[in-house]
Amino acid sequence: MANYKVGTQEIEKINADALVVICEEDGVLAQSSNKVLRRHWENFHQAVKDRKSSREWFCTLEKSAGCTTSHLLLESVAFGGPGNHDEPLKSAAARAVAMCRQHSLRRVAFIVHHKVAPLKAAAILEGVILGDFEDNRYKSNPLSRPELDIQIVVSKEDKKETRAVLERTKIICDAQNNARLLVNAPHHELTPRGLAREAQLLAKSCGLQCEVLDHKKLKASGYEPTWQVGRGSEYPPCMIILRHRPKKPLRKMHIGLAGKGMTFDSGGLSLKTKETIFKMNRDMAGAATVLGVMEAASRLDLPIQMTAVITAAHNAVDGAAYYPGAILKAKNGKTIFVENTDAEGRLILTDALHRLGEEGSDIIWDYATLTGACMAALGPGIAGLFTDDEELRTVLVQAGNQTGDDVWPLPLVPEYKPWLNHTLADVSNLSRIPIGGAIHAANFLSHFVPKGARWAHVDLAGPSNTERPWRYYSPGATGFGVRLTVEALRLLTGENK
Ligand code: BES
Ligand code: MG
Ligand code: ZN
């Protein structure tokens, strides 16, 4: 965790252990009146030009510089232009704090002089908070990690705006890191009921309404798919509903968020292999994203009516488990032939989508680690976006560009829809044609979207997790989708909050 404050001091007066300047070609130090700093900058710049130095320059700062700070760290990156997100800047900030930690420098000051300093400051803080995340809950003897003191130093004119932007950044990134903690947790710790408990705690701490339907209520209410998927486990399934009801919603719209909360996906009787099964505690990343978005929405006091529905289950195998060949009835009345018990995410999402209709949502976005096929199509870094609604597609793609939570549109091909037909039931959970699996899953979901609702589906099987260091993320959960959604909501409502 990192504390931060915004300052406007002159460089010499900054009270910190390390000064960090992340610069483009003509960085701020190029014009500095401080000769020592300027010389460091020129040497660094020349070395980068001559390709003698990497993008980093780390040194102790000699007394003659007249600074209170002991170390100087320079980084050279290409800043993002319009329509191009600031990922390199965030990564540079993350590298900077990692280097400072290595050298036990706890108080770190970033100097941000730029035409759009508040936005660049936000990117830096984002890189710091997301990059400094370390999940050591399960280590018996974790290294102690002192809290960092971060200063973001801007010009006096930029101070007010920077403060406001950073407050927002901090709320969003903290919510995202909370989502990462949920995704990393093993299945026996974060069971469906455990997920419900987390939602209740969150609701209490930030003023959301929370309702949980346990497995008995699920069955009694006709949410059969979720009940069926979860019935083979000793950790029973449930439905979690969170509501954000601002006092003065500015628009009539009612946003509904659905999250796949598979706290473990063994594949069921259509069992997964040992190569993939051990990762399947993370199959609730969609649910974690939705919780993160609700946390951020309520802490930011977004003036939008929002409801989240998470269906949570543990897809396991025992004598009572649901079987391939079962025929289920979804709550909208459609019957589903279960050809493969590993295509379970789409089953439990039918209940979440339906419930959002009952809750009155007119714009519904769902988040799910739904298909390996989506990862095969787009690789590990990008989520698949499915929607026939042009405005939703535009805001989500733009939000992805602006936040670094990249999404790429994939088509809901109407000609593929009949491939889900079944002779005995209305629809099968598996396509007759196996290739293009991400599209079939999305087409399947489209059968269960409440009438009249505008819908978008985000398949985040790839980017919800990273096996290797990626941008500013260490291996593990990324919390993908929190920033995306909060930004998309801002674009959709035109609110500058
Ligand atoms: N949870 C998986 C999808 C997944 C795979 C997420 C890899 C993250 C990493 C989902 O429930 C699943 O098993 N999907 C199947 C669908 C198939 C049986 C049609 C898949 O993608 O193989
Ligand atoms: Mg599965
Ligand atoms: Zn799954």
Side-chain angles (χ1 to χ4, degrees), residues 219-234:
K219 189 161 190 226
S221 314
Y223 296 117
E224 196 199 341
T226 306
W227 182 81
Q228 288 277 10
V229 169
R231 65 183 287 192
S233 166
E234 66 178 283

Side-chain angles (χ1 to χ4, degrees), residues 233-314:
S233 166
E234 66 178 283
Y235 306 115
C238 62
M239 178 185 281
I240 304 161
I241 303 148
L242 283 170
R243 302 186 191 90
H244 169 61
R245 296 288 179 268
K247 287 206 185 71
K248 285 189 194 140
L250 291 180
R251 294 272 188 296
K252 279 229 176 78
M253 63 176 65
H254 179 169
I255 300 286
L257 305 175
K260 171 179 172 183
M262 197 59 53
T263 57
F264 192 79
D265 179 14
S266 70
L269 279 143
S270 316
L271 194 64
K272 288 190 181 292
T273 61
K274 63 179 178 295
E275 283 76 26
T276 56
I277 197 168
F278 68 96
K279 300 175 184 168
M280 284 301 145
N281 64 307
R282 310 171 192 155
D283 206 18
M284 36 56 70
T289 296
V290 164
L291 287 182
V293 174
M294 292 305 277
E295 174 178 355
S298 99
R299 295 203 198 283
L300 292 168
D301 201 14
L302 294 189
I304 312 167
Q305 189 171 189
M306 290 167 69
T307 302
V309 178
I310 289 164
T311 34
H314 175 135

Side-chain angles (χ1 to χ4, degrees), residues 260 265 272 280 283 340 342 344 369-372 375 430:
K260 171 179 172 183
D265 179 14
K272 288 190 181 292
M280 284 301 145
D283 206 18
N340 187 316
D342 198 11
E344 85 302 334
T369 46
L370 206 59
T371 64
M375 294 170 77
L430 200 68

Side-chain angles (χ1 to χ4, degrees), residues 6-80:
V6 179
T8 57
Q9 316 88 309
E10 285 160 31
I11 290 183
E12 290 81 359
K13 301 217 173 96
I14 293 171
N15 192 8
D17 301 322
L19 275 182
V20 183
V21 184
I22 305 176
C23 22
E24 296 174 285
E25 293 280 287
D26 56 346
V28 50
L29 295 186
Q31 294 103 39
S32 174
S33 55
N34 186 314
K35 277 193 197 126
V36 180
L37 290 173
R38 204 171 61 228
R39 181 170 42 76
H40 276 297
W41 162 251
E42 280 159 6
N43 290 343
F44 171 50
H45 193 45
Q46 197 54 49
V48 171
K49 258 192 176 161
D50 300 344
R51 297 183 186 272
K52 279 193 201 130
S53 161
S54 67
R55 293 163 299 175
E56 266 133 16
W57 182 273
F58 184 64
C59 59
T60 52
L61 205 49
E62 46 277 63
K63 284 239 158 53
S64 56
C67 291
T68 337
T69 322
S70 57
H71 288 74
L72 177 67
L73 173 54
L74 304 175
E75 298 224 31
S76 168
V77 298
F79 283 26

